[in-house]
Amino acid sequence: GMGLGGGLRFQEVFYWTENDLIQLALEPFVSYEPPAPGFFARFGFMLALDEQLGFGFDAGKVAAFRLTLGGKW
């Protein structure tokens, strides 16, 4: 009932004109969404998993923090 949660988001992007056709990313996140109308927030850490862009913890590879804020009514 307090609106706290979390999860794991898996994302893929398809490149039809490249040799490596699929790029993969993983985003663990925490979120807050109240049961009634009000403020919501989601904070995640996206890591690229593929050869070209990742692994996200390696130097020069892709890792990003992502924050979403908003309201519902």
Side-chain angles (χ1 to χ4, degrees), residues 2-73:
M2 65 180 171
L4 290 177
L8 190 62
R9 177 177 177 231
F10 180 75
Q11 177 178 323
E12 68 278 340
V13 175
F14 296 97
Y15 293 105
W16 301 112
T17 59
E18 301 290 330
N19 289 337
D20 185 6
L21 296 178
I22 300 174
Q23 293 292 311
L24 303 173
L26 195 61
E27 181 186 10
F29 65 88
V30 294
S31 63
Y32 170 75
E33 185 170 347
F39 172 79
F40 71 85
R42 178 174 165 170
F43 180 73
F45 182 59
M46 184 173 282
L47 296 167
L49 300 177
D50 277 329
E51 183 75 25
Q52 290 178 343
L53 298 177
F55 188 73
F57 288 120
D58 294 341
K61 300 299 182 176
V62 176
F65 291 105
R66 204 161 77 132
L67 177 64
T68 304
L69 302 172
K72 65 177 191 173
W73 54 91

